[in-house]
Amino acid sequence: MVNFVLVAGARLGAWAWQDVVPHLRAAGHGVHPLTLSGLAEKRGVPAGQQTHVQDIVTEVERRDLYEVVLVGHSYAGVPVGQAAQRIGDRLARMVLVDAGVPVDGESFAAGWPDGGAALEAAIAENGGWWPCAKREHFTGHGLTDEQTARIVAGATPHPGATLTEPAVLAGPLADLPTTYLKCLLPDAEPDEEVAELLTGEHWRLVELDTGHWPMFSRPRELARILLDAAGE
């Protein structure tokens, strides 16, 4: 038995995993979907990036979890990567779902093609919060109209400081046992930082023919990938 700690990406909360959780629990594992500060039912709570890292560490320690498979989707790969280093021997494996990775001293925004200028402008224009995306943002990601509607209805503005503050790594991310799931729509190639990490002995690549939100578009297949990763 392992303990999955599931952390969804920007603007989402623990609710985003509701179609995945039953498959993991049916296999006999502990499953702990986590909402980060400032999102979903914790909406409006101020948070920086290290707040989100601590949210994850606190969840693991509060529940006294071992054999932890830390799962980070999209933005959440950044705090999950840092938290994975801080929970020590409680960690069994990290799984990054079409996610960003933390780079020591750099922010999530810095990895954007324009260096984060447009993202930072949007945050400034919205009182320190990254506003929710419109429906058209989800086109081309293998989602049905109903699935898109669920994401749009459940999303909440994201605390901007978590996206603009730098990551703090305790050591090389390449040393952590990691499965990286690359969703193939609309872009099949991983980012440069991820591609470099995948050349190391502790990282492996898995691909899924869907878009950036597989917990909605392909929950059963995503659960299978998580279970396979946990068995490594």
Side-chain angles (χ1 to χ4, degrees):
M1 171 181 164
V2 302
N3 284 291
F4 290 98
V5 176
L6 309 172
V7 191
R11 309 178 177 116
L12 304 175
W15 65 272
W17 301 98
Q18 64 185 30
D19 293 341
V20 177
V21 167
H23 300 293
L24 303 180
R25 287 190 173 146
H29 299 295
V31 189
H32 311 279
L34 175 64
T35 294
L36 298 174
S37 296
L39 298 164
E41 70 272 17
K42 300 176 184 177
R43 180 175 182 169
V45 176
Q49 189 179 122
Q50 294 309 307
T51 312
H52 282 179
V53 175
Q54 191 58 49
D55 285 342
I56 300 163
V57 173
T58 298
E59 178 76 358
V60 171
E61 293 179 344
R62 180 178 67 85
R63 294 182 179 275
D64 197 24
L65 302 178
Y66 284 86
E67 291 299 310
V68 173
V69 177
L70 274 184
V71 181
H73 162 251
S74 191
Y75 152 77
V78 175
V80 160
Q82 295 169 78
Q85 294 185 327
R86 299 182 193 182
I87 64 172
D89 63 1
R90 295 175 184 267
L91 181 73
R93 191 165 193 87
M94 182 165 62
V95 182
L96 299 179
V97 180
D98 219 37
V101 295
V103 177
D104 193 45
E106 293 189 13
S107 68
F108 173 82
W112 285 39
D114 64 353
L119 176 56
E120 291 182 13
I123 292 168
E125 291 166 5
N126 288 273
W129 298 82
W130 192 23
C132 294
K134 299 189 181 337
R135 289 184 63 94
E136 53 266 28
H137 178 69
F138 303 97
T139 301
H141 285 273
L143 294 159
T144 65
D145 289 345
E146 180 183 1
Q147 290 163 350
T148 299
R150 283 177 61 200
I151 300 173
V152 172
T156 48
H158 190 96
T162 68
L163 307 170
T164 59
E165 292 178 355
V168 180
L169 291 178
L173 208 61
D175 291 345
L176 297 177
T178 301
T179 297
Y180 190 92
L181 170 59
K182 182 68 185 80
C183 296
L184 299 179
L185 299 176
D187 182 5
E189 295 301 320
D191 293 343
E192 183 178 338
E193 292 86 357
V194 173
E196 176 64 27
L197 288 162
L198 286 166
T199 65
E201 61 178 315
H202 299 298
W203 281 56
R204 82 172 188 96
L205 176 66
V206 177
E207 297 176 336
L208 185 60
D209 189 16
T210 191
H212 187 60
W213 292 272
M215 63 276 285
F216 296 97
S217 61
R218 302 282 290 276
R220 184 182 297 273
E221 293 87 342
L222 174 56
R224 183 72 260 164
I225 289 169
L226 297 180
L227 290 169
D228 288 347
E232 292 187 4

